[in-house]
Amino acid sequence: MSNIGFYVWSQKLSAPQNKSFTATDPGIIKLKLLSELPKAPIRTLEPAPKNTAATTVNQICYSAGPFDSEASILATEELITPLVLKTSVRKLTTTQEAGYWVYLPAMPTRAEALAKGRELAAAKVKDYYVVTAGNHENTVSLGLYREQYNADNRITELTRKGFAVQKEVRIEQWPEFWLDYSITDEQLGALPELATDTISSNEVSCQNS
């Protein structure tokens, strides 16, 4: 027991020994952690300039139209797309006066509208029609005229016979299609002729996109 006690006492009081290690094989390069390497200066990369058709070529812009149908303009766009820089289709609504409508305002009932028709017939007024359905139900139509003076002559005739007629301008609306495209001088020679009797192709200012 005294020997065990002496051993424990000597181990506690004695200083720990430093152990040295050597590489197993001589000549091996010592490994280093990434955190131990010297830090290199950070380089800031400048963004590369974008090369677009608008900046690399001298483009010319045109607008062709009007095309009377979507099918015809899409066929033309498909034809020229491989030959130009870019294309786009625009749809517009065109409004035009279509004529002048002469009429008697709608009556409260159909019976009254039919009675007014009989009055017109008795006054020897021809070319009238009692509207029996739709937005103008019970209105008495007295003609649609392309020229204003013809409508005014009709109004004068009916006013002299005692009928309080009215005139309304009729408006027609229909779609128009326009093809916008940009092209270079070199591509112009390969582009087919787009202008016809009803379609024109005019140079316009290029819009940045």
Side-chain angles (χ1 to χ4, degrees):
M1 293 296 292
S2 60
N3 289 336
I4 294 173
F6 176 78
Y7 174 77
V8 172
W9 176 80
S10 62
Q11 290 295 321
K12 288 183 177 182
L13 294 180
S14 61
Q17 297 180 355
N18 293 329
K19 298 181 180 181
S20 59
F21 296 90
T22 58
T24 304
D25 298 323
I28 295 179
I29 300 175
K30 183 179 179 181
L31 298 178
K32 289 186 178 182
L33 300 177
L34 291 176
S35 59
E36 297 176 341
L37 297 176
K39 294 184 179 180
I42 299 176
R43 297 176 57 192
T44 302
L45 298 178
E46 295 293 335
K50 295 181 179 180
N51 286 331
T52 62
T55 59
T56 58
V57 298
N58 183 22
Q59 63 176 344
I60 310 170
C61 297
Y62 289 86
S63 184
F67 292 82
D68 58 1
S69 69
E70 188 172 7
S72 62
I73 195 171
L74 292 179
T76 303
E77 183 185 29
E78 183 179 0
L79 174 66
I80 72 169
T81 293
L83 308 174
V84 300
L85 296 176
K86 60 182 178 181
T87 64
S88 64
V89 172
R90 288 183 293 120
K91 180 181 178 181
L92 304 177
T93 299
T94 300
T95 301
Q96 179 176 314
E97 291 185 1
Y100 302 88
W101 182 37
V102 179
Y103 64 97
L104 288 171
M107 314 295 167
T109 64
R110 176 181 289 188
E112 292 178 79
L114 294 174
K116 185 62 67 174
R118 288 192 291 271
E119 290 181 25
L120 290 167
K124 301 187 183 302
V125 175
K126 299 180 180 179
D127 300 326
Y128 69 88
Y129 170 73
V130 177
V131 182
T132 58
N135 295 332
H136 301 289
E137 186 175 2
N138 298 330
T139 298
V140 180
S141 176
L142 295 161
L144 183 62
Y145 300 89
R146 175 67 63 179
E147 302 296 336
Q148 183 174 351
Y149 69 85
N150 289 331
D152 292 341
N153 289 340
R154 179 70 160 167
I155 292 173
T156 300
E157 171 197 352
L158 294 167
T159 301
R160 288 175 178 172
K161 293 183 177 183
F163 297 99
V165 297
Q166 296 184 10
K167 179 178 68 175
E168 179 179 298
V169 178
R170 306 295 287 175
I171 301 297
E172 285 183 351
Q173 291 185 334
W174 65 90
E176 283 186 356
F177 300 91
W178 290 81
L179 178 60
D180 300 327
Y181 59 95
S182 60
I183 195 169
T184 65
D185 287 330
E186 292 77 11
Q187 293 173 319
L188 278 173
L191 192 68
E193 181 62 48
L194 300 182
T196 64
D197 292 339
T198 58
I199 296 175
S200 62
S201 183
N202 302 306
E203 186 174 350
V204 295
S205 299
C206 295
Q207 302 295 325
N208 294 328
S209 57

